[in-house]
Amino acid sequence: MSGELLSYSEASAIVVSFARGLSRSRLEVERVELGSASGRVLAEPIVADQDQPAFARSTRDGFACRAAEASRHEFLPVAGATHAGEAPAGPLPVGAAWEIMTGAPVPAGADTVVMIEHVERDGKRIRMLSKRSTAAGDNIVGKGAQARQCDELVSAGTLGGPAQIALAAACGYARIAVYKRPCVAILTTGDELVPVDRETGPGQIRNSNAPMLAVLVKAAGGEPRVLPTAVDTAEALNAALHQAMEADLLLISGGVSAGRFDLVEPALARMGATFHFTGVRIQPGKPLVFGEVQRAAQSSLPFFGLPGNPISSAATFLLFAAPVLAALAGGSEIGPQFVAAQLARATERKAKPGLTRFLPGLCDFNPPSGGLAQVATVPWHGSGDLPAFARSNCFVVVPEDVSSLDAGAMVRILML
Ligand code: AMP
Ligand code: MG
């Protein structure tokens, strides 16, 4: 591909539209125990099996009564009591109150619950304290107020988190359908790489991208499959790419810059790849490549060629590969989730304008001031500086048209 490089937002729009175009219908589904659905994408909606609540429920310990009667502040005889777990009782006799516990069904005829702390007792009678008032509906959640039987409460494609699992349990799902995790092939390339359990020789470095990308893939809902590292030769890359063809997504690290041994693009081209873009105006990560290789008639393998420097690989994964992976996993939320934070210190722009920058930053979500989350960029020696990266917990976004950011400015950050 020649000509002008795409901006961050242009490249991001291409990735998001590709991701949205992936159809969920071809995804495989499995049924898992509800507790194992955490972090999985739901493949079926959560549907209310009955009204929620199924009965008018008291939200307080107190006395169910009629608001009009209680508001006279006269003693009302206590005609009965209902505990949580007991069947709905009543009806409430006229001019009476009914002792009730949190979570218990409100007896028919009562329209309010007066908190136990707001009444005075005289034997088997109670009266609302003179400084208190009550109105119909207070401390009662009506039958079906939260949801109606057969309502779809959460749609398929939602990530299973604690709230969704609690809701599914409330609706009687002991097992639930989730999408199978997409298989993500991770191919690291480079003559200089040695595995983590080997000593490095002169000029060699350990392959840190393979384990880093594997955990990023897991965190984004994929099943990583780390392939043997390929050396920088056309033959090695050809063989490695063939091994990756069964995966749902291919991540290649290294070999996409403009150097003489950056052989990944030609190897992909030999496989008949279509390139959606080669290079983006971002820093780090400018050489990023995105495309797909056709395999069977109806199926293609999407791939990202991630620049080999570890911070570039991480940033481009989170910004571009994670959204595609989220869609392949069946998720409906696919864009990177930026959050806002306040810049603790001014940041000067060192790079050329026109590049959107993603600087390693450390965000303090509980600053001593008690105010907004405070983020500061972490001093670094470029995109290979793993010690600096390990002191950060996010990327700070510096938009392409911004030359410097003052302390106190609101910025977008992307969490690691
Ligand atoms: P490349 O993208 O292949 O030009 O590599 C850019 C830089 O990233 C070089 O300094 C490489 O040594 C380094 N690098 C490439 N792959 C890895 C890897 N798997 N782990 C750690 N560093 C890497
Ligand atoms: Mg290389």
Side-chain angles (χ1 to χ4, degrees):
M1 210 184 253
S2 59
E4 285 262 302
L5 290 189
L6 301 180
S7 67
Y8 165 66
S9 48
E10 288 164 341
S12 177
I14 288 177
V15 163
V16 167
S17 108
F18 175 87
R20 291 205 199 288
L22 293 166
S23 137
R24 250 190 226 144
S25 59
R26 54 180 178 75
L27 299 180
E28 286 184 65
V29 170
E30 59 186 328
R31 295 189 75 76
V32 296
E33 298 271 343
L34 187 55
S36 306
S38 167
R40 306 294 300 270
V41 181
L42 303 183
E44 64 178 318
I46 301 175
V47 176
D49 65 333
Q50 51 184 333
D51 285 353
Q52 285 201 20
F55 48 84
R57 183 185 67 212
S58 175
T59 61
R60 301 287 185 183
D61 292 325
F63 293 88
C65 43
R66 292 180 182 82
E69 292 171 357
S71 301
R72 287 185 212 124
H73 300 284
E74 288 164 7
F75 276 105
L76 304 171
V78 178
T82 307
H83 300 216
E86 287 183 341
L92 176 69
V94 172
W98 195 279
E99 192 178 7
I100 194 154
M101 317 300 153
T102 302
V106 175
D111 62 11
T112 188
V113 170
V114 181
M115 288 166 65
I116 194 161
E117 296 87 342
H118 294 180
V119 303
E120 63 178 303
R121 266 187 130 126
D122 170 32
K124 293 200 151 187
R125 303 185 310 158
I126 58 105
R127 128 169 114 177
M128 185 163 64
L129 298 173
S130 55
K131 56 180 190 253
R132 299 293 177 180
S133 63
T134 190
D138 283 359
N139 303 322
I140 297 175
V141 183
K143 174 173 159 48
Q146 298 166 173
R148 288 292 188 185
Q149 185 176 33
C150 298
D151 278 355
E152 184 176 310
L153 305 178
V154 163
S155 51
T158 305
L159 195 62
Q164 291 73 29
I165 286 171
L167 177 66
C171 293
Y173 290 73
R175 299 174 74 80
I176 195 157
V178 296
Y179 292 112
K180 286 201 173 160
R181 290 193 178 94
C183 169
V184 182
I186 297 171
L187 173 61
T188 47
T189 73
D191 290 340
E192 72 279 32
L193 301 179
V194 297
V196 58
D197 54 356
R198 301 268 176 79
E199 291 303 316
T200 51
Q204 295 184 321
I205 60 168
R206 293 202 180 88
N207 180 356
S208 57
N209 282 350
M212 178 184 74
L213 290 170
V215 299
L216 284 168
V217 162
K218 267 196 197 145
E223 194 66 53
R225 188 155 78 85
V226 177
L227 301 175
T229 295
V231 292
D232 293 319
T233 66
E235 298 70 35
L237 287 171
N238 286 348
L241 289 179
H242 277 104
Q243 281 185 38
M245 290 307 287
E246 295 302 308
D248 298 303
L249 175 66
L250 168 61
L251 304 177
I252 308 158
S253 120
V256 287
S257 312
R260 194 148 67 83
F261 293 98
D262 290 322
L263 304 173
V264 165
E265 271 177 66
L268 288 162
R270 283 194 296 279
M271 305 280 289
T274 306
F275 293 93
H276 298 313
F277 55 75
T278 56
V280 186
R281 296 202 316 267
I282 55 173
Q283 191 194 40
K286 192 157 152 255
L288 175 72
V289 170
F290 171 46
E292 51 192 311
V293 184
Q294 204 64 32
R295 38 188 176 196
Q298 296 290 315
S299 142
S300 70
L301 169 64
F303 63 78
F304 286 90
L306 310 176
N309 264 316
I311 304 180
S312 313
S313 284
T316 49
F317 175 88
L318 291 171
L319 294 167
F320 299 100
V324 170
L325 179 49
L328 287 166
S332 1
E333 288 254 351
I334 53 179
Q337 285 169 20
F338 296 101
V339 292
Q342 192 169 36
L343 203 59
R345 288 195 299 272
T347 303
E348 255 192 82
R349 164 151 227 139
K350 294 207 191 90
K352 294 182 276 182
L355 297 177
T356 305
R357 301 191 75 197
F358 299 91
L359 304 176
L362 184 60
C363 186
D364 181 357
F365 286 93
N366 295 295
S369 65
L372 296 170
Q374 298 289 310
V375 67
T377 55
V378 172
W380 63 326
H381 293 96
S383 53
D385 189 345
L386 275 175
F389 192 37
R391 287 193 292 272
S392 62
N393 61 5
C394 65
F395 287 108
V396 178
V397 185
V398 185
E400 60 176 2
D401 51 354
V402 166
S403 56
S404 66
L405 287 164
D406 295 332
M410 291 306 293
V411 290
R412 298 209 302 161
I413 64 173
L414 181 62
M415 292 311 295
L416 282 170

